[in-house]
Amino acid sequence: MKKKVVLYKKIPEEQLNRLKAHFELSCFEGINEQNRESFLGALAQAEGLIGASAPMPAAILDKASKLKAISTISVGTDRFDLDYLSARSVPLMHTPSVLTDTTADTIFMLMMCTARRAVELSNMVREGRWQASIGSEHFGVDVYGKTLGVVGMGRIGYALAKRAHLGFDMKINYFNRSANEKAEQELGARRTDLTTLLKTSDFVCVLVPLTLETEKMFAKAEFEIMHREAIFINGARGKVVNEADLIDALQNKTIRAAGLDVFEMEPLPGNSPLCRLDNAVLLPHTGSATLETRLKMARTAVDNLIAALNGDIAKNCANTHLIK
């Protein structure tokens, strides 16, 4: 008899068919008020759960008494309570490696767009406001040869630093719980405390996971340490930043600009003050949003669930202490 699995996000047909071949599948394209009861009913019988984007707190997963494994189609795990899942011995599988380069590309694009005011100047052309050669009031700043501060030197942080150092001759500062010897040896990266990084970096790129320790890690005090020409990039999670304080820093020119792919509330409301700031480049959480990468993520998530429900969690398990 096939194991019962609940899918709560639309995925490519090829991967959907793989799930159907292996499991008795209940499908939901997201969770909403209209399908919530049906979803909870299916979850009560499920041994496996796969999807992304929707929060899955303990209050929901308590109803899944037969649950043996979860596979999230993402690298981030903040939609889940890992301690709760670990206490139940339920592995949470994720997709940490397949989106590294694509996300690093996105973050570097944000660096370039903010430095050279690409969105602001593009809008000027589109709106017919380009009437003569631009003057200093529209000049950007160089990226080449500047100093990049990476907060969170994991896989994506290293990939970003590699692009910056080898492609743009940038000096690399980083703040991380542990030393990244590869970054130091191959890229000349310098590990510093956070205050030093903020004081000495022209670009500050945040790539830490969202935890109790990192929530609102960046607020008024941190922006005031940065120099006035510094550019802030958030490719982590919106709640790592106190958004109101960031808005104040941009409005008051405490820092030069910000490039943001994530926000405290997503989707970002159209009436957010961020939407009215020329010195903010805003993306709709697109870090991994390429056709190739999203296909790889879906395939990896399906691979992960099949393996986990067959007792193999050696690869891509977020609660690693469950691995024997």
Side-chain angles (χ1 to χ4, degrees):
M1 182 179 295
K2 291 182 177 180
K3 295 173 181 175
K4 294 182 179 180
V5 164
V6 172
L7 169 69
Y8 61 97
K9 184 177 178 65
K10 186 176 181 179
I11 62 174
E13 186 174 1
E14 179 183 355
Q15 301 310 317
L16 179 64
N17 290 335
R18 288 182 65 208
L19 287 174
K20 288 178 177 178
H22 282 85
F23 308 114
E24 180 181 332
L25 192 64
S26 298
C27 300
F28 300 85
E29 292 188 13
I31 305 167
N32 52 54
E33 290 304 315
Q34 287 70 42
N35 67 15
R36 186 178 180 83
E37 289 306 315
S38 296
F39 169 78
L40 293 176
L43 186 62
Q45 303 301 317
E47 293 183 63
L49 179 65
I50 180 170
S53 302
M56 287 291 161
I60 288 179
L61 297 179
D62 270 342
K63 303 178 187 305
S65 60
K66 300 179 181 180
L67 197 62
K68 299 291 193 299
I70 299 174
S71 182
T72 180
I73 312 172
S74 65
V75 62
T77 60
D78 50 281
R79 299 285 185 171
F80 302 86
D81 184 336
L82 270 179
D83 290 337
Y84 165 84
L85 291 175
S86 297
R88 287 186 55 182
S89 297
V90 174
L92 175 62
M93 314 300 289
H94 64 150
T95 63
S97 57
V98 296
L99 50 71
T100 298
D101 286 311
T102 299
T103 304
D105 285 349
T106 302
I107 295 165
F108 204 89
M109 175 183 66
L110 281 171
M111 290 171 55
M112 293 294 296
C113 285
T114 50
R116 298 304 300 269
R117 301 169 67 173
V119 175
E120 178 188 357
L121 297 181
S122 176
N123 288 338
M124 184 177 75
V125 175
R126 288 175 180 273
E127 295 165 6
R129 294 184 285 112
W130 181 32
Q131 303 296 324
S133 296
I134 66 170
S136 59
E137 71 274 14
H138 290 119
F139 288 172
V141 294
D142 285 331
V143 176
Y144 187 88
K146 294 293 183 65
T147 298
L148 168 64
V150 179
V151 181
M153 185 62 87
R155 285 179 295 267
I156 297 171
Y158 175 83
L160 175 67
K162 182 178 179 182
R163 284 156 172 75
H165 182 69
L166 299 182
F168 284 73
D169 200 27
M170 297 182 79
K171 302 176 183 67
I172 308 298
N173 294 331
Y174 77 98
F175 173 72
N176 204 56
R177 286 183 299 180
S178 57
N180 188 316
E181 294 182 2
K182 184 178 181 182
E184 293 178 7
Q185 293 170 3
E186 297 182 5
L187 307 177
R190 181 173 70 113
R191 187 183 178 205
T192 72
D193 59 81
L194 183 59
T195 298
T196 300
L197 181 146
L198 295 175
K199 285 181 177 179
T200 58
S201 299
D202 301 300
F203 296 84
V204 174
C205 294
V206 185
L207 294 165
V208 295
L210 178 61
T211 66
L212 291 175
E213 290 74 25
T214 63
E215 187 168 356
K216 289 187 167 43
M217 179 180 184
F218 283 84
K220 181 179 180 181
E222 285 68 36
F223 296 125
E224 288 180 345
I225 294 171
M226 296 168 64
H227 65 76
R228 294 185 69 85
E229 290 299 308
I231 291 173
F232 178 77
I233 307 291
N234 188 4
R237 286 292 185 266
K239 291 183 179 179
V240 169
V241 178
N242 183 317
E243 203 163 277
D245 287 354
L246 174 59
I247 291 167
D248 285 343
L250 293 170
Q251 290 174 332
N252 298 329
K253 304 298 176 63
T254 304
I255 59 175
R256 181 180 182 86
L260 309 173
D261 191 37
V262 290
F263 307 90
E264 284 185 352
M265 180 182 295
E266 296 183 4
L268 181 71
N271 62 357
S272 167
L274 286 169
C275 298
R276 300 190 295 274
L277 293 174
D278 285 336
N279 58 344
V281 175
L282 314 175
L283 295 179
H285 205 143
T286 62
S288 63
T290 66
L291 177 62
E292 300 93 333
T293 296
R294 289 295 173 89
L295 287 172
K296 289 177 186 176
M297 289 171 68
R299 182 169 61 247
T300 300
V302 172
D303 289 343
N304 286 345
L305 186 64
I306 292 171
L309 288 178
N310 283 316
D312 179 7
I313 60 170
K315 185 178 181 182
N316 296 332
C317 181
N319 34 358
T320 54
H321 58 281
L322 294 181
I323 302 172
K324 298 178 181 179

